[in-house]
Each structure stands twice: as structure tokens, then as C-alpha cells.
Amino acid sequence: MTDASGMREKNAIYDCHLGPRFGAMPLDEITVSEIARFRAHLVALELGEKRINNIFAVLSKALRYAVDAEVIAKVPKIGMYKIERPEIVAWDFEQYPRLLTAAKAEGEEWYAAVCLAGEAGLRVGEIKALRWREDVDLIAKTIVVNRRTCRGETGRRKAELVAPYR
């Protein structure tokens, strides 16, 4: 994740957690026991396992870079929680027509957005970032999805998607 929202998230992790705990500490003093104490601190803050994994992923990447740059000899073991992905809840066939009816009552833009989500599987951020002239080809009947909007900022997707439409 190298987009603007990803960098913002990594900076927030550093500012809130890693900087206060390890910012003044020499990298070779970040040991397995120091990491265990830090994990206990994060658990005491009642952070979720996914959030703790995100924090440790940023720490791990920084320490791996320090090894590559020959600043430290090895990365201490950082155990991650095993997280089960939540089940994705999709619209069922009875809900979709009701959503279309409600969206149509709200206006053309809402109706188009619900159609793009329901028919082409686009996410909200991808729908918000669509540009009519650049991304929609009425002759080829395709929509090119290569941007997304997240927290008010629009950036590139990790991979381009070309969705056919009817």
C-alpha cells in the first residue's frame, strides 16, 4: 500500500504507537522481550488484533529495512495474530430490486451508483472516482476502473479493472 491513504495510515501508526515507544531507542535494542512488552501494552489499550497486526507490520518492515541497510544484524521475531477474514455479506436477489427502486427515487446518480455496485461489482470508492469522459466507453460498452476515492482523496487503484456494462 503506497497510496496516500496508506502512507497516512503508516504515519499515524508511527505517531501514535511506534514513535513514542521506540523513537529514541537504538534499533539493536528492540528485542523479542521489548516487542512482547509492547504487545502487552497494545492489548492493555484494548486494541483489536487486526490493529495490533497493522502496527507490528509497520515495525517489522522498518526493522527489515534496517537489516537490508546493515544497521542491525537481524530482525527480532514479531508474532502476528491469526485473523480470520470476516464473511462478506452480499445483497440477496430480493434486496437488489428494492435497492434499485430506492436509488431511482433518490435520483439518477444514486441509481447509476447502485447499478455499478450491483451489476459490475464496483466498490463505493471506485464509483466515486469514475470520470464520465475518460473511464466510460459507450461504444465498447466498458468502464475502466483505475482510480478510487478514499477519505476525500482520489488515487490510483492497485490494479486496473475493465468492467463490461449492458
Side-chain angles (χ1 to χ4, degrees), residues 22 34 58 77 87 95 97 99 118 126-127 133 137 140 151 159 162:
F22 300 113
E34 189 62 41
V58 174
K77 182 166 176 54
E87 183 180 335
Q95 289 174 313
L99 284 168
E126 295 166 339
I127 295 168
R133 286 183 170 69
D137 185 337
R151 294 186 181 114
V162 177

Side-chain angles (χ1 to χ4, degrees), residues 27-44:
L27 292 176
D28 60 355
E29 290 182 17
I30 301 176
T31 62
V32 172
S33 60
E34 189 62 41
I35 290 169
R37 282 191 290 277
F38 182 51
R39 179 183 307 277
H41 167 74
L42 297 175
V43 169

